[in-house]
Amino acid sequence: MDSQVENAIEIAWNPASDQNLKSQAFDFLNQLRTEPQGWQVCFSLAIREPRPSEVVRHFALEIVNGAIKGGQLNAPGLAYLKDSLLAYVLTTYGGAHADQKLDTLVIQNKIIQTITYLFTSLYTSGWESFFDDLLSLTSKENSSARDNAPGIIFYLRILNSIHDEIADVLVPRSPEELRKSNSLKDLVRERDVAKIALSWQDILVKWQSRNDTILELALSAVSRWVSWIDISLVINDSLLGLLFGLVSQPQASTLDVRLDSFRHAAISTFTEIVGKKMKAEDKLELITVLKLSNVISELISSTALQELRSTSNYDTDLAEAVAKLVNNTACDIIKVLDADIASTDQVKRQANDLLQIFLPYVLRFFSDEYDEICSTVIPALTDLLTFFRKESKSRGVLAPQYTAMLSPILDAIIAKMKYDETSTWGNEDAQTDEAEFQELRKRLQVLQQAVAVVDESLYIESITNVVGTTFERLQSQRGQLDWRDVDLAMHEMFLFGELAVKNGGLYSKTKPVSAAAERLIGMMFKLVDSDVASLAHPAIQLQYMEICVRYSTFFEANPQLITRVLENFVGFVHHNHIKVRTRSWYLFHRFVKHVRQHIGNIAETVLQALGDLLPIRAELPEETSDDDDMSSDANEQSADTTFNSQLYLYEAIGCICGSHAVPVDSQGVYIQSVLTPLFSDLEAHLGPAKNGDERAALQVHHLIMALGTLARGFSDWTPASSTTSTPPPAKSVSEKFASAAEAIIVALETLNSSFEIRTAARFAFSRLVSVLGVRILPQIPRWIDGLLSRTSTKDEMALFLRLLDQIVYEFKTEIFDILNTLLTPFLQRVFTGIAEPTAGTDDEIQLAELKREYLGFLLVILNNDLGSVLVSNTNQSTLETVISTIEHFAKDLSDFPTAKLAFSVLIKLTSTWGGPDIVQEVASKAGNAIAPALTPQPTLAGFDRFMITRFSPLCWTLPMNPDFNPKDAQGRQVLGEAAGLQKAIYVKTGQEYMTWLRDVELNGMGMDGNTIEKYMRALVTLDAKGFRQFFQTCAVTSKTSSLPMIPLKRMAPMSLGLNDSLPALVRQKFLAAKAHADLLFSATELTVIQVGGLPFQLRYCPALSKKPAYEAPPSNRPQPSKRPDPFENPIASLLIAKVPAEKATHNLVLNKYPVIAEHFMTATRDYKEQTHLLGGDDLEITHACLKAWEAQRDGETMARRLFAFFNSGRYSGASQAHRHIQFLPVEKMAGTSADDGWEPLIDLMGDGASKDTAGKLPFAYYSAPLPSNPSATDLTKVYSRLYDEAVNAVRKHIKADTGRSIELESTEDGSAAISYNLAMTTSAMAICPRRSDTATLDVAKDDSRGACRIGPIALNGTMLAGTLMVKTQEEWDELRCDEGKLSDLLKMVGIPPESGRVDVHSGKI
């Protein structure tokens, strides 16, 4: 039997084996796992002499361990295994057999795992001498000393394994496992912990200078076990003396890092010891006993951390380790000082004394020039300032000893805000460092604001002193000050506004609003007087402009300074640095917009200075070749980017020309001076553009955009607004813009087949309204002809309808004649667009949007008393078509938002043409009100009968449809509008409508007499809201035979409790939300590239890179207290369902910013952290969604699949803190890439391809198949097993990673120990541990410019689907052209495969 098993294992793991034989071998081995006695065969094989191959022994021990863990061994079997294994271990590692060949490290790992499992099974009863037996390994035969090195190493590794199994807080455990682990720990503490602790001491004393491995393993065991054993067993003179000795080791040479390694291990041991939870007074005593102040002081003054601090030999790893020890100790001291924790005044005094000692240590590392070291102690400072704030708030004043601490803390924060001496602003190679420094500045700003909350006066004085001193030095040194000092002062000045203008502004009735505002005003005077703008450094110039824009109210109150500042701005807009120049165009526009009323006397001068920047030079985008990659600087210099920034200059010029301080005659002259060259340029390029010259067409597009932007800047007057204080433009100026409108129309008529030209013209049209007023009305027919060409899309029609809504609203009293003329031909174009067949999802969304804009346009006409235009002689022939389209939309079961809007239009038509109300407010609520017998008086003859016979039956079309679901939230809203229509008809027609309902409509639907009377009584006696609820209830109860005239349709309940198929619900919601712009769908380009021979999708979404930059809200607007949670109360248009229906725990919600259609997610209804481990309910809901998606309805033939993924941890790509798991339809992901062989990567991790896939992917992953109908328990077991493997991989990586790129997270609050991505389908689950959320790539250049960097490129759980999205052209081009770059990206964000468990031969468990 042994030989059969051995042969099967060899065949299964031999790549050259015949596939049929290999399949038989796997079947045999899988059957062996289930055999009750299979473990015995495997165990005998594992310890046999001569030894089999390593792979045979490894697999055999794996089966043995699985049998122990799975409870397959009875008591005699466990006893046999214990005795046999102990005999083998004593023979192999015991001191009596020094010549015995030791096992390899891989086999040792498996044997240690076996012993650990036996410990958990037998230590309580059956192997009480466990630790005594293991301790016997540490001594040679007939020796009492710990002198057997192989046995000691084996013993210490078992101790570490036992800790990981029963006490590691990073390992998730079930309640039963937790109970068992606690019981074992109690038993160890009772029986053996004293002798174990003594063994550490003996081993350390014996081997501290003889064996590096033993020393490190012993310190590791102490560090691990100290958290759950009596501290007195560790804190003794011998151990502390050893630790002190290791910490005090001299600096190691560069060729021998042993001593540094020991020192780091000792510091880590100190950190774990001090981190042990205990009472406040005990923690303070521990800190004192450990002499941590002396230890840290000695470390800080060591050569490594003091003399070498400013050199390249500075030991940053040591500094970070000591900083961590300082941070943890300081945090514990601060916790003791908390009033709710400290038990006695003596304890608080002792804690205060320690705080006085440790604060300088905290500030030492906080001030370290390496930001990673500084960041290590930020938590301690955050806790300290939070404590100060609580103390100050509760006592009214901060104690003097704490007040004295604030000044050095604030000084350190301000000093850390400064660029260090090695920084090179604007250097492309330093962009990552710059981004990281700006992130650090944000964290420092939080600390600085915390100081301001505790002691506002100190903050004000400190910042005032820094800014004032810097400007004085700048003046005295005649501008020769280091730019970093000036940048610091200006940055602090910019941040000072958070305090100075938080109440709405700097001034109140020409007086400063606060002391802080008064100081800021003084700073602004010094800013201007110091002539800091003359400094040549770009960072200073940008800061100067940002400050002037932020505090523009200062210049409004001190207009005498505006001229000087504008002179500086004019210089900056001509700057030779592309970043300064293009940014200054935007900031110049912002500044001018605020002070426009104070620059009338210098308007001409400013315009003349800007004249050379106004000529527009359109350039077609260049085709980038494989070896012609654009750097970020080159991207900023691109023609498209430059033109978009140039538009801000045109808007600024419009602001200047439109200022009330500029005489009207001068306004016209200035505007004409800008328009004339634009007109000439437009005329020169129209001909070539018409003949197909692409660059000329682009030039025309840019010129039209410039004309529209100029108009936008000139006037913000709104014709129909009653609140605006801005008067309309003068007639003479309006005439100038009328010429611009004429020029644009000519260009549009010439080139209306161009989508880009139509888009620019539509933009200009909307901006010209505010400067032309009623002058634009006669041009509207020409605008319509130009903007709505035969090639216009539904989207363009919808946008133009929205524009017409604006025109109708603003010129309601003047537009009737023009609207009367153009309405019929215009609506005919709209009807044609609506009638066109759709081809794909995008077309369907555009059609839905066009329908709603059309109905909205009708409502605007009716709401502005222009309804008569619909029934005029000119348009009467179109009225029937209008009514028919409304009726059709009202019956559309697939588009509830449009149906609801259609009923709203019908209600408005009823109120407009139905005549006066003949039924007053409900007279009685007792159920006996009767409609008065008055005759309807419709505005349109016969409209009363038309409403009754055409409109009223529409109210029943939805509830009578067998596919209608009355429990759908949007469907209920449509029913509410239908009820409103019935109420509106009744109010206008009274008894005539009641008679029709009773004798014709309701009777014809099969409603019995009693039900008819009940229904009519509700219509008469209930108010509008009451009847709406009644009608909605009728629709619901009709499904249970309350209303027999509505056919019944019972829907089979699904596992989630949904009343429709999940794909149908998601699709319906997605289309509606997209149509209403409640979600922003971005289209992507798609290609498939190879990673190690595996197909990988690459998506390009340029729309995301063009999203407008975030602009901070005005300072007078209250700032949000926390980041909004989109899942706390999801908006109705994105909420798909609450699941499960019976007792909902999760919401199904659409993604608001999808790049793949029908992207949705499940989020917990109660707030749960994204970083915490998933619960069984999360996994069960996820699998239920996957199953529900694949379930086919009657008549369906196309298979559907869903891919689920979860991002957890700071490096996972997670964007929200509220727990959510995301879903992507596989068919939507695939697109055309399925033709290129793409399939979700997780599918390639299954049984058939797992081993092959693992060798091809540059990151570690762990996957497992799922049973066909798994329970929550099944899913949790698989998840826990995969997670454990991932944590082990990260541990291995951390130990091997000298760069210390990641660390394990604390799991005390339930958080995961690592960042990871999880993926799931109905058949498999996979986990990928992460070490970074983004990656950047250096791209080589062929010329002398060296290399440039692309990125950062973010990756999340979709990488387990084999897909990646990029946002820039250069990223898209580079990754497509060099497929190896994608492999590099994946390698950067994941854990290297070799960092996984050494006993895993592939990615699959």
Side-chain angles (χ1 to χ4, degrees), residues 730-748:
K731 180 179 179 182
S732 59
V733 179
S734 182
E735 289 175 350
K736 307 293 183 184
F737 283 105
S739 300
E742 180 64 28
I744 295 171
I745 291 176
V746 170
L748 179 61

Side-chain angles (χ1 to χ4, degrees), residues 945-984:
R945 198 65 184 170
F946 188 86
M947 291 186 296
I948 293 173
T949 58
R950 289 282 295 270
F951 290 177
S952 181
L954 292 173
C955 301
W956 300 97
T957 54
L958 286 181
M960 291 182 68
N961 191 316
D963 292 327
F964 176 69
N965 175 18
K967 293 184 179 180
D968 183 281
Q970 289 187 326
R972 288 178 62 85
Q973 291 179 350
V974 178
L975 292 179
E977 291 298 303
L981 176 60
Q982 294 176 78
K983 197 74 174 175

Side-chain angles (χ1 to χ4, degrees), residues 543-557:
Q543 281 275 30
Y544 176 85
M545 291 186 287
E546 297 282 0
I547 290 173
C548 290
V549 170
R550 183 171 196 183
Y551 306 130
S552 58
T553 54
F554 166 80
F555 296 101
E556 294 180 53

Side-chain angles (χ1 to χ4, degrees), residues 128 171 248 254 387 695 717 857 997 1107 1128 1259 1402:
E128 293 84 350
V171 177
S248 303
T254 56
F387 167 68
R695 199 207 70 82
W717 170 67
F857 175 64
L997 280 177
K1107 289 170 64 177
E1128 184 178 10
F1259 57 87
S1402 72

Side-chain angles (χ1 to χ4, degrees), residues 555-769:
F555 296 101
E556 294 180 53
N558 300 277
Q560 72 278 6
L561 302 176
I562 293 177
T563 300
R564 188 172 178 180
V565 174
L566 280 176
E567 290 174 356
N568 294 324
F569 266 97
V570 169
F572 296 147
V573 299
H574 291 86
H575 204 283
N576 57 3
H577 194 292
I578 183 65
K579 187 173 182 179
V580 177
R581 183 167 68 251
T582 54
R583 179 66 177 169
S584 68
W585 293 350
Y586 166 72
L587 294 173
F588 175 71
H589 149 254
R590 291 279 310 280
F591 184 73
V592 165
K593 192 172 184 179
H594 289 298
V595 301
R596 63 191 297 186
Q597 304 307 331
H598 302 283
I599 58 177
N601 57 330
I602 59 171
E604 184 175 4
T605 304
V606 174
L607 294 177
Q608 290 175 351
L610 299 177
D612 61 317
L613 298 174
L614 297 182
I616 294 173
R617 299 178 181 87
E619 297 179 18
L620 294 173
E622 297 181 0
E623 294 289 338
T624 57
S625 62
D626 294 348
D627 55 354
D628 186 23
D629 304 303
M630 293 180 64
S631 67
S632 58
D633 283 342
N635 193 40
E636 289 178 346
Q637 297 177 25
S638 67
D640 186 56
T641 302
T642 301
F643 172 69
N644 288 333
S645 298
Q646 194 176 18
L647 289 178
Y648 288 118
L649 288 179
Y650 276 95
E651 187 167 355
I653 289 173
C655 288
I656 295 172
C657 296
S659 170
H660 299 157
V662 177
V664 173
D665 292 343
S666 298
Q667 287 181 352
V669 172
Y670 298 158
I671 287 295
Q672 189 61 53
S673 68
V674 179
L675 292 177
T676 298
L678 294 177
F679 290 161
S680 301
D681 203 2
L682 188 62
E683 184 178 6
H685 285 87
L686 269 182
K690 185 176 182 180
N691 293 329
D693 188 327
E694 291 185 20
R695 199 207 70 82
L698 186 60
Q699 181 76 8
V700 172
H701 168 274
H702 286 7
L703 292 168
I704 295 173
M705 292 291 293
L707 291 170
T709 304
L710 181 69
R712 177 170 65 180
F714 186 86
S715 175
D716 55 4
W717 170 67
T718 303
S721 175
S722 59
T723 59
T724 180
S725 59
T726 306
K731 180 179 179 182
S732 59
V733 179
S734 182
E735 289 175 350
K736 307 293 183 184
F737 283 105
S739 300
E742 180 64 28
I744 295 171
I745 291 176
V746 170
L748 179 61
E749 290 172 340
T750 305
L751 304 172
N752 74 335
S753 61
S754 168
F755 173 80
E756 289 75 16
I757 297 298
R758 295 197 302 269
T759 300
R762 187 170 60 248
F763 166 83
F765 174 69
S766 65
R767 271 62 183 178
L768 286 167
V769 172

Side-chain angles (χ1 to χ4, degrees), residues 1037-1196:
T1037 55
S1038 69
K1039 300 297 183 181
T1040 56
S1041 74
S1042 292
L1043 293 179
M1045 73 292 184
I1046 301 179
L1048 301 179
K1049 180 184 179 183
R1050 292 193 176 274
M1051 305 190 70
M1054 301 175 69
S1055 59
L1056 293 172
L1058 302 175
N1059 287 308
D1060 200 349
S1061 72
L1062 180 58
L1065 289 175
V1066 173
R1067 178 181 176 81
Q1068 182 184 85
K1069 273 286 185 177
F1070 177 84
L1071 293 176
K1074 182 178 178 184
H1076 274 183
D1078 289 327
L1079 61 76
L1080 302 176
F1081 178 75
S1082 301
T1084 62
E1085 291 185 49
L1086 177 62
T1087 188
V1088 173
I1089 60 180
Q1090 300 292 313
V1091 177
L1094 300 174
F1096 211 99
Q1097 284 185 337
L1098 182 65
R1099 293 181 177 273
Y1100 174 38
C1101 186
L1104 296 184
S1105 65
K1106 296 181 180 179
K1107 289 170 64 177
Y1110 172 78
E1111 183 175 323
S1115 55
N1116 61 349
R1117 187 181 300 170
Q1119 301 295 313
S1121 59
K1122 64 176 183 178
R1123 182 177 181 180
D1125 180 359
F1127 305 125
E1128 184 178 10
N1129 289 300
I1131 60 177
S1133 57
L1134 300 182
L1135 178 62
I1136 301 169
K1138 299 174 183 179
V1139 293
E1142 250 183 42
K1143 191 175 182 182
T1145 57
H1146 293 68
N1147 289 331
L1148 299 184
V1149 187
L1150 289 174
N1151 184 355
K1152 190 172 183 178
Y1153 302 101
V1155 297
I1156 294 174
E1158 300 176 25
H1159 180 174
F1160 72 101
M1161 57 198 77
T1162 174
T1164 57
R1165 299 193 67 196
D1166 296 326
Y1167 182 84
K1168 293 184 180 180
E1169 291 284 352
Q1170 184 80 354
T1171 54
H1172 287 197
L1173 293 173
L1174 290 173
D1177 58 338
D1178 299 313
L1179 297 168
E1180 190 174 32
I1181 287 289
T1182 301
H1183 197 271
C1185 289
L1186 296 171
K1187 291 282 285 186
W1189 193 270
E1190 294 183 3
Q1192 292 188 335
R1193 303 177 70 183
D1194 293 341
E1196 288 185 342

Side-chain angles (χ1 to χ4, degrees), residues 42-100:
C42 291
F43 179 68
S44 300
L45 188 61
I47 64 174
R48 188 193 71 189
E49 290 291 345
R51 296 175 179 177
S53 67
E54 185 170 301
V55 68
V56 172
R57 299 185 71 196
H58 180 277
F59 183 83
L61 286 170
E62 181 66 31
I63 289 185
V64 174
N65 293 340
I68 302 172
K69 197 70 174 175
Q72 297 179 21
L73 277 70
N74 55 20
L78 288 170
Y80 164 77
L81 182 59
K82 182 259 293 186
D83 293 338
S84 302
L85 185 58
L86 181 58
Y88 173 83
V89 169
L90 290 172
T91 301
T92 306
Y93 300 95
H97 303 273
D99 58 340
Q100 178 65 40

